[in-house]
């Protein structure tokens, strides 16, 4: 098996920083340093959290393309270390969608291509898909194949908002139902959708485009400003079970 080449897009560290305790951070550079320290100490989950904070801060800056590219590539390599090649593909897709072409992004193209099992992802519609919600959080779509060969979809949309670190997402939702159709086109059949509301899915290659009727009564499955429409990137051939309802 070819060993993936991982290009680590990290800023230089002070001596001994890699062995320091986890650091809080309130700027792009401090989050990068905290994540780098955790990464070099082998604390990859801590590194991912710091690099997510780094990305959130970079997204808030003007002229932040270079800062966002650094944060995204940090998240790519950390996801690979965590054994999450699909998540690495998702982070890399954000950099590519923004036209980022730095050395780390180009090198990580090879790393992700070597790590992701594309034939397994392409074998079936079944699996887990992610749509970026901003602020380093993702909405999800899980599609499960039923015993009769049909498919069932479970959407878990999020709206990040501006205080996701303090309070969590500004809005969340859940929408489930059977998928009716075949080949590339499917329509969601769900008792949660009133008459005149529709959610349609176009399966293109590995990924899925979702269209939705936008109307106040059609998005009653979640909080204010929620929607399932958008582009979903396949990250795993194994869907995750629906999350438990939030207790009031």
């Amino acid at each position: 098996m070819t060993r993936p080449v991982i290009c680590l897009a990290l800023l230089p560290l002070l001596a001994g920083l890699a062995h320091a305790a986890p650091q809080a951070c309130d700027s792009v550079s401090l989050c990068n340093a905290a994540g780098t320290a955790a990464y070099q100490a082998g604390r990859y989950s801590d590194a991912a959290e710091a690099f997510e904070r780094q990305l959130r801060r970079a997204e808030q800056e003007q002229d932040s393309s270079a800062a966002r590219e650094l944060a995204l590539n940090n998240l790519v390599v950390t996801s690979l270390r965590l054994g999450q090649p699909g998540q690495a593909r998702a982070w890399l897709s954000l950099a590519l969608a923004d036209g980022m072409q730095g050395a780390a992004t180009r090198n990580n193209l090879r790393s992700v291509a070597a790590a992701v099992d594309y034939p397994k992802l392409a074998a079936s519609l079944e699996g887990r898909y992610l749509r970026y919600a901003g602020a380093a959080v993702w909405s999800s779509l899980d599609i499960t194949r039923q015993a009769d060969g049909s498919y069932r979809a479970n959407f878990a949309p999020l709206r990040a908002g501006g205080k996701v670190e303090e309070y969590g997402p500004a809005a969340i939702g859940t929408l489930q139902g059977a998928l009716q159709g075949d080949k590339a086109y499917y329509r969601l059949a769900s008792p949660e959708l009133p008459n005149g509301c529709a959610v349609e899915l176009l399966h293109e290659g590995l990924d899925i485009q979702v269209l939705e009727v936008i109307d106040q009564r059609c998005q009653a499955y979640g909080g204010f400003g929620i929607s399932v429409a958008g582009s979903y990137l396949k990250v795993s051939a194994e869907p995750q079970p629906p999350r438990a309802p939030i207790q009031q």
Side-chain angles (χ1 to χ4, degrees):
M1 178 181 293
T2 302
R3 186 178 183 88
V5 178
I6 297 176
C7 179
L8 193 58
L10 306 175
L11 294 179
L13 298 173
L14 297 175
L17 187 58
H19 303 290
Q23 304 173 44
C25 58
D26 56 10
S27 70
V28 170
S29 59
L30 288 176
C31 291
N32 184 73
T36 301
Y39 184 98
Q40 293 193 344
R43 294 183 285 104
Y44 301 122
S45 294
D46 291 341
E49 291 179 8
F51 292 145
E52 287 172 0
R53 294 195 297 271
Q54 179 186 0
L55 179 59
R56 282 191 282 272
R57 283 143 184 74
E59 288 179 344
Q60 295 170 356
E61 293 186 353
Q62 294 182 344
D63 302 322
S64 64
S65 179
R68 285 187 293 111
E69 186 169 17
L70 174 62
L72 288 169
N73 278 289
N74 286 345
L75 286 162
V76 169
V77 297
T78 304
S79 295
L80 291 175
R81 289 292 189 186
L82 286 167
Q84 300 170 352
Q87 185 65 66
R89 178 180 184 243
W91 292 121
L92 181 63
S93 75
L94 297 181
L96 298 178
D98 281 351
M100 297 174 179
Q101 301 183 35
T105 300
R106 296 195 303 272
N107 282 317
N108 281 328
L109 285 173
R110 291 180 295 167
S111 301
V112 172
V116 173
D117 189 342
Y118 289 98
K120 185 176 181 180
L121 289 183
S124 170
L125 180 70
E126 184 176 45
R128 182 168 179 81
Y129 301 77
L130 296 179
R131 182 199 70 184
Y132 192 56
V137 299
W138 299 83
S139 297
S140 63
L141 163 62
D142 290 279
I143 297 179
T144 305
R145 187 178 179 90
Q146 306 299 292
D148 62 0
S150 65
Y151 293 99
R152 185 169 183 82
N154 172 40
F155 287 94
L158 300 175
R159 182 169 64 82
K163 295 184 179 295
V164 68
E165 287 184 15
E166 294 90 343
Y167 305 113
I172 61 174
T174 58
L175 178 62
Q176 302 178 34
L179 293 181
Q180 299 176 341
D182 58 14
K183 294 185 179 178
Y185 172 80
Y186 297 88
R187 186 181 180 97
L188 184 71
S190 172
E192 300 173 76
L193 293 175
N195 290 336
C197 300
V199 172
E200 299 169 292
L201 294 80
L202 181 63
H203 185 216
E204 294 185 302
L206 294 179
D207 306 323
I208 289 177
Q209 300 290 330
V210 177
L211 298 179
E212 177 181 18
V213 173
I214 302 299
D215 186 276
Q216 184 174 359
R217 65 190 182 88
C218 293
Q219 284 73 49
Y221 54 80
F224 176 76
I226 209 71
S227 172
V228 298
S231 299
Y232 290 77
L233 193 85
K234 193 168 190 179
V235 298
S236 174
E238 290 79 35
Q240 292 188 10
R243 66 191 179 200
I246 295 178
Q247 300 297 322
Q248 299 296 328

